[in-house]
Amino acid sequence: QSSMVLSAAIFLTLIGLIIYLHFVKIDQESLLVIGSLGIQVTSSYASGKESTTFIEMAQVKDVVINEAIHMQKVIYYLCILLQDPEDPQGVSEVVPLFQSSKPRLDCLIEVYKSCQEILEQRKTAPQSS
């Protein structure tokens, strides 16, 4: 009977590991910003599964670096602020990026600067037409 319990424990452990690799463990995160279309966020899991989210550029109010205190440490993360459809000056939602990879602040600043360049081009493009 103890071998049956051991077999069940091993089986449950393997099932738990497969679920962890397929739904939780993110290997890679990427961000694609196209000024005329929107922002695509892709997460690649350890099992090979990919999850993609697309945000239309008309919904994007701004991209910011936010800070939070976690376990007596200050952590920084990149966020997309979504425009409130009822109040153009308001923010309806904050979408955090790179939650699994947690890049350092200097890396976030580089991504932030690139995003801001694209957002600025989008703001000035309709005025020049």
Side-chain angles (χ1 to χ4, degrees), residues 20-32 39-54 95-102:
Y20 174 76
L21 291 176
H22 193 69
F23 293 108
V24 178
K25 175 80 170 96
I26 295 178
D27 269 352
Q28 183 178 342
E29 294 175 296
S30 66
L31 179 71
L32 175 64
I39 299 175
Q40 178 178 305
V41 181
T42 304
S43 299
S44 301
Y45 293 83
S47 66
K49 179 183 115 173
E50 284 193 351
S51 170
T52 301
T53 305
F54 183 77
V95 180
L97 303 173
F98 306 124
Q99 289 296 287
S100 293
S101 55
K102 295 183 177 82

Side-chain angles (χ1 to χ4, degrees), residues 31 33 39 60-65 78-81 97 111-112 115-116 119:
L31 179 71
V33 182
I39 299 175
V60 176
K61 181 174 178 70
D62 203 0
V63 175
V64 297
I65 295 177
L78 200 65
C79 290
I80 300 173
L81 303 180
L97 303 173
V111 175
Y112 169 79
C115 290
Q116 288 300 324
L119 290 175

Side-chain angles (χ1 to χ4, degrees), residues 110-124:
E110 290 300 317
V111 175
Y112 169 79
K113 287 179 181 177
S114 299
C115 290
Q116 288 300 324
E117 284 178 19
I118 294 169
L119 290 175
E120 283 301 317
Q121 289 173 1
R122 178 189 66 137
K123 290 176 184 173
T124 58

Side-chain angles (χ1 to χ4, degrees), residues 61 83-90:
K61 181 174 178 70
Q83 201 163 26
D84 190 352
E86 297 172 7
D87 178 19
Q89 299 300 320

